[in-house]
Amino acid sequence: MLFPCAVKLEKRLAPSTAMTLATPVISVILALLFCAVFLALTGQNPLDVYIAMLTGAVGSAYGLSETLVKAIPLMLCGLGISIAFRMQLWNIGGEGQLYMGAFAATWVALSFPELPAWLLLPLMVVVSMLSGGIWALIAAALRAKWQVNEIIITLMLNYIGSLWVSYLVHGPWRDPKGHNFPLTAPFSPSALLPTLGDSRIHAGLIFAIVLMVLLYVVFRQSRWGYEIRVIGANETAARYAGMNIKRNIYLVMLASGAICGLAGMTEVSGIVGRLQPNISPGYGFTAIIVAYLSRMNPLAIGIVSLLFGALQVGGYYIQTFGVSATVSAMLQGAILFFVAGGEVFTQYRLVVKSVKGAVARG
């Protein structure tokens, strides 16, 4: 005999460890199944498409190197964004900060082309990080002084940053020898990051690895890392404990934007060798998924960035078979969707209560 029952979500006393570990894995599997439905509806064999993507991304030395190349900006932006996310500051502006870092690095490269590499490259790194950090501080100042939502501000600043770069390469910075293409003049050899052999893997990978280790130590061992965790968990309790909330908002957003700005410098100096529109296919946005999927763990960000780098390379590869590269973007979106949905079950449990008062929990 069936009894009417009520279903509701009940807050857990502590997040479920099992769900925290399982959610990323289950989300990836569900995203693959979800996208397989759309591939099947368009007449594609999902298994063949996924195997082709895997082959393109890791099936050859060239594919592996390209996967690493795509993963570098994702690692840097993911690390930058994760700093803010840990304090529950939703920096959605990694894309704009990347563009502002690329702009600043290009200004240095074009202004001082005669400088030797040992001086020019560090100068480009510093200026690009300052540019990205200051760009993020706009949202930090509005949040700290007037409680303005940083999501809206950082999101809008993305478009201003990318359009600013577009204006420069179509206008004052356009290369007069560039046959009217929207490109700056090429950088001098001393403004280019060294690469590994004949591949396109550049020194940006070293920056990412150093930052991964550094942030791992900072988050676990330093007083600042502890304050970020406490403020993110309970801002009111942190304030009663004497922690300076405003100062940490400024510091966290400055560091977050600076690392995203560094990603912009590595792209123009390590890959393109000049500034051009669309230097990023959305690394700053994809890095949000990377940071979220890795639970803001710096070491996990490296692994997840490789996964998403492989998705991008695999997406380009399947175009040779007549399948759109947007499959990889669809997979990324599906992963974020299922991760966000799964997050609910780490914080809440499903409670089914019958009219007789018997309760079942899941």
Side-chain angles (χ1 to χ4, degrees), residues 54-89:
L54 186 64
T55 303
V58 299
S60 64
Y62 174 76
L64 278 170
S65 69
E66 285 301 298
T67 295
L68 265 175
V69 167
K70 297 295 180 187
I72 291 170
L74 292 176
M75 288 180 198
L76 291 170
C77 288
L79 289 168
I81 288 170
S82 70
I83 299 174
F85 279 13
R86 274 181 172 262
M87 213 178 86
Q88 304 290 304
L89 277 175

Side-chain angles (χ1 to χ4, degrees), residues 222-240:
S222 74
R223 176 178 174 178
W224 187 49
Y226 174 74
E227 288 192 2
I228 291 175
R229 285 205 310 274
V230 173
I231 296 172
N234 191 324
E235 185 175 322
T236 304
R239 186 173 287 109
Y240 277 117

